[in-house]
């Protein structure tokens, strides 16, 4: 175990040789800023002042050439090879609400949600505690680096963990996951993520998911509608699909006891073929356009969560900034 000292503070934390600095800090309850945890966003950058580190992923896109020259590293990719002193700014906002742990897990069930979005259930050797909306990292043997997937359950302490993943053409991790036989072992590390359910908010909830962003929105709906005394009145779920065959989620929501009285579901199709007849109530366009059309006037009074492809998330954020929605009511972990 190595000791990592944060410069200018009394904070230090232990880091196992096979862990990363970011995850070791979070395991010690420290508010180390981050977002994606997989080398892409660059939010977990820090400067190395003393000691020796190694990069898990040399070419991670979250770090520029200029960063490397300035001895900056990514917390999610840096492994300790000695004790070290680093410069970074701790932020209470990032203190974990559940301490992340890693467990061996076995694939026990798979089911098709749509033609390219499947659910994968794993049984972990030790239960994983998480809040609705959080994600975990799956380490699959033969795949370089872990992949992040959001849990679709409503938050709890569970041995069985369900993920919903979209098959990415040419994607190394999803090709492996979709062809994985039942009984195969992986390692699951979590929970992570800041877009978790704000249980004490009494604002109406808006959940916006696009494509692979289904799982965290289903998880949030399940979590919100299983609260003992929900103080909000309405939960709006907007799901963006490319074609009608990609529309999904309503069957899972309709099973929730309070859905009938509080839930509102809208599917949005961005790329229907010329001959396609869209289901009743389905909108055409992009999800952010439909959010604006249906909710522009109420967004300021809502707790807003979204997840999905990078372009969708950027368009949502731009809209919310233009409409001056307070960012304290907006929650998302960017997908990469
Ligand atoms: C917070 C978060 C939550 C997510 N939740 C979901 C979800 O619920 N459902 C879903 O379908 N998708 C989700 N994703 C996307 C998912 O993690 C994968 O990026 C996606 O499934 C494509 O993986 P792939 O391996 O098939 O594609 P690839 O293109 O092979 O890899 C994609 C990602 O893997 C990482 N990677 C690639 N090469 C390396 C390497 N050599 N070393 C280390 N890392 C590498 C990078 O982060 C890259 O962006 C989420 C992503 C994030 C960041």
């Amino acid at each position: 175990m190595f000791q990592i000292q944060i410069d200018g503070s009394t904070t230090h934390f232990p880091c196992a040789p096979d862990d990363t600095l970011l995850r070791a800090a979070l395991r010690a309850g420290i508010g180390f800023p981050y977002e994606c945890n997989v080398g892409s966003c660059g939010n977990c950058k820090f400067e190395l002042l003393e000691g020796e580190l190694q990069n898990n992923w040399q070419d991670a896109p979250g770090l520029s050439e200029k960063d490397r020259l300035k001895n900056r590293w990514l917390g999610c990719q840096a492994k300790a090879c000695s004790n070290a002193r680093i410069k970074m700014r701790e932020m209470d906002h990032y203190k974990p609400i559940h301490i992340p742990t890693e467990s061996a897990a076995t694939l026990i069930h798979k089911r098709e949600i749509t033609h390219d979005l499947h659910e994968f259930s794993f049984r972990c050797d030790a239960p994983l505690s998480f809040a609705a909306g959080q994600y975990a990292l799956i380490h699959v043997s033969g795949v370089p680096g872990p992949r992040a997937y959001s849990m679709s359950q409503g938050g709890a302490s569970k041995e069985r963990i369900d993920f919903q993943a979209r098959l990415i053409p040419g994607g190394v991790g999803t090709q492996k996951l979709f062809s994985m036989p039942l009984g195969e072992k992986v390692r699951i590390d979590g929970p992570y993520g800041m877009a978790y359910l704000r249980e004490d908010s009494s604002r109406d909830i808006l959940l916006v998911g696009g494509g692979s962003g289904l799982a965290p929105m289903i998880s949030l709906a399940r979590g919100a509608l299983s609260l003992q005394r929900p103080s909000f009145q309405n939960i709006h779920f907007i799901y963006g699909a490319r074609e009608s065959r990609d529309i999904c989620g309503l069957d899972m929501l309709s099973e929730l006891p309070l859905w009938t009285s509080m839930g509102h579901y809208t599917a949005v199709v961005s790329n229907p073929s010329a001959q396609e007849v869209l289901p009743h109530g389905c909108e055409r366009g992009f999800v952010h356009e439909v959010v604006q059309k249906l909710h522009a006037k109420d967004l300021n009074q809502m707790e807003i969560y979204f997840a999905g492809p990078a372009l969708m998330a950027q368009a949502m954020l731009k809209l919310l900034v233009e409409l001056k929605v307070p960012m304290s009511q907006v929650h998302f972990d960017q997908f990469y």
Side-chain angles (χ1 to χ4, degrees), residues 11-327:
T11 310
H12 56 90
F13 58 92
C15 184
D18 57 351
D19 211 350
T20 67
L21 262 64
L22 167 65
R23 292 172 212 142
L26 296 172
R27 291 186 219 288
I30 292 165
F32 197 129
Y34 74 106
E35 191 172 337
C36 78
N37 219 323
V38 288
S40 295
C41 72
N43 284 3
C44 61
K45 253 179 240 174
F46 67 88
E47 190 183 333
L48 176 65
L49 301 176
E50 230 181 288
E52 209 184 312
L53 306 179
Q54 217 175 47
N55 244 325
N56 276 341
W57 185 14
Q58 198 57 41
D59 304 321
L63 211 57
S64 68
E65 213 32 61
K66 196 169 148 200
D67 287 326
R68 288 175 224 274
L69 290 172
K70 292 193 162 175
N71 213 8
R72 290 192 189 128
W73 294 69
L74 291 176
C76 69
Q77 302 300 325
K79 268 177 28 168
C81 309
S82 73
N83 292 340
R85 189 163 59 87
I86 64 170
K87 190 169 165 189
M88 52 81 69
R89 197 150 62 97
E90 287 175 71
M91 291 172 78
D92 281 353
H93 174 70
Y94 291 95
K95 279 189 175 166
I97 49 167
H98 293 285
I99 294 292
T101 55
E102 190 172 310
S103 166
T106 310
L107 181 65
I108 53 165
H109 187 68
K110 304 199 249 189
R111 89 178 166 95
E112 203 176 294
I113 299 173
T114 69
H115 62 108
D116 66 353
L117 187 67
H118 292 190
E119 187 164 87
F120 300 88
S121 304
F122 292 89
R123 181 161 313 285
C124 296
D125 288 359
L128 184 78
S129 299
F130 60 95
Q134 289 197 292
Y135 69 89
L137 300 173
I138 311 188
H139 296 260
V140 178
S141 125
V143 177
R147 297 295 186 267
Y149 293 102
S150 308
M151 283 66 83
S152 62
Q153 295 126 310
S157 177
K158 292 202 175 290
E159 275 161 15
R160 177 184 167 131
I161 298 294
D162 298 337
F163 300 106
Q164 296 166 347
R166 201 177 140 240
L167 181 65
I168 303 297
V172 178
T174 47
Q175 299 291 337
K176 186 87 185 203
L177 191 59
F178 275 67
S179 58
M180 192 179 278
L182 295 184
E184 186 143 325
K185 296 266 185 204
V186 299
R187 282 184 301 129
I188 292 181
D189 180 6
Y192 296 103
M194 306 311 297
Y196 53 83
L197 183 67
R198 282 9 187 213
E199 291 190 5
D200 47 6
S201 168
S202 56
R203 295 187 189 95
D204 278 357
I205 296 178
L206 175 63
L207 304 174
V208 184
S212 54
L214 180 72
M217 299 301 115
I218 291 287
S219 167
L220 287 158
R222 286 176 168 157
L225 292 177
S226 66
L227 290 174
Q228 284 297 320
R229 273 185 293 278
S231 50
F232 56 90
Q233 309 286 315
N234 294 289
I235 179 160
H236 301 271
F237 196 107
I238 301 184
Y239 183 70
R242 283 160 305 170
E243 305 167 35
S244 315
R245 66 181 183 147
D246 303 318
I247 294 174
C248 57
L250 184 57
D251 55 339
M252 294 174 236
L253 299 169
S254 304
E255 287 172 353
L256 303 172
L258 293 175
W259 178 259
T260 323
S261 53
M262 302 175 95
H264 312 271
Y265 176 91
T266 309
V268 187
V269 174
S270 63
N271 201 15
S273 58
Q275 68 277 15
E276 218 169 311
V277 180
L278 296 183
H280 177 70
C282 176
E283 300 269 352
R284 272 172 204 268
F286 291 111
V287 275
H288 68 283
E289 296 165 345
V290 173
V291 167
Q292 178 159 29
K293 177 178 154 188
L294 299 182
H295 296 294
K297 289 204 193 76
D298 345 311
L299 288 171
N300 273 287
Q301 284 83 51
M302 289 176 149
E303 211 64 49
I304 301 163
Y305 303 84
F306 58 88
L311 285 177
M312 180 214 118
Q314 284 156 21
M316 273 298 297
L317 200 55
K318 185 164 175 281
L319 172 73
L320 298 173
V321 169
E322 278 168 9
L323 295 177
K324 299 191 169 50
V325 177
M327 281 300 123

